[in-house]
Amino acid sequence: MAKSLLLVSRQAPWSGPGAREALDIALAGGAFDLPIGMLFLDDGVFQLALTQHPEAIQQKDLTANLQALPLFGVDSLYAAQRSLDERGLADTTLGLPVQCLDDAALRDLIDRYDLVITL
């Protein structure tokens, strides 16, 4: 049986390569039918915001990659409620359907996965 993998994405979309690398790992793992979940934590929740203008800083938009996650079998998407609140984001305005979790639920989530990678 394949081990389950939780990817924790903690970087804003264009603050470095971490956000894109997390998405690439998720999409590749999903293509091989690995049980993968993705948690958006800290500044990583900015990846979920609908109002992004990557062209202003000459970057590619990550929205298409994010929206492809369910197509690759990555349906377990989570966001830290505290991170959303601290950054003024509401779960109703996110570009993907994610399950918002409080701190206790985050601990339980991490415990359910065999492997956890933080980017």
Side-chain angles (χ1 to χ4, degrees):
M1 182 167 122
K3 291 192 178 243
S4 60
L5 171 64
L6 178 65
L7 292 165
V8 182
S9 188
R10 298 183 74 172
Q11 289 189 3
W14 305 288
S15 65
R20 185 165 297 282
E21 288 172 357
L23 285 171
D24 289 345
I25 292 169
L27 293 169
F32 290 102
D33 293 326
L34 292 175
I36 296 180
M38 192 157 186
L39 168 63
F40 298 90
L41 183 68
D42 299 330
D43 284 345
V45 296
F46 284 126
Q47 295 175 49
L48 302 170
L50 286 173
T51 55
Q52 298 182 24
H53 303 284
E55 65 281 352
I57 56 171
Q58 299 177 350
Q59 295 289 323
K60 290 185 178 182
D61 194 350
L62 296 180
T63 304
N65 296 58
L66 285 166
Q67 291 174 344
L69 288 170
L71 299 173
F72 282 79
V74 184
D75 296 317
S76 300
L77 302 174
Y78 309 94
Q81 187 64 56
R82 181 193 302 231
S83 297
L84 292 169
D85 293 342
E86 289 174 350
R87 287 151 184 85
L89 296 172
D91 59 344
T92 58
T93 63
L94 302 179
L96 279 177
V98 295
Q99 183 178 353
C100 298
L101 305 174
D102 63 20
D103 292 345
L106 286 174
R107 285 188 293 276
D108 293 340
L109 174 72
I110 290 169
D111 287 343
R112 286 196 316 252
Y113 283 85
D114 296 315
L115 303 168
V116 178
I117 297 175
T118 302
L119 296 164

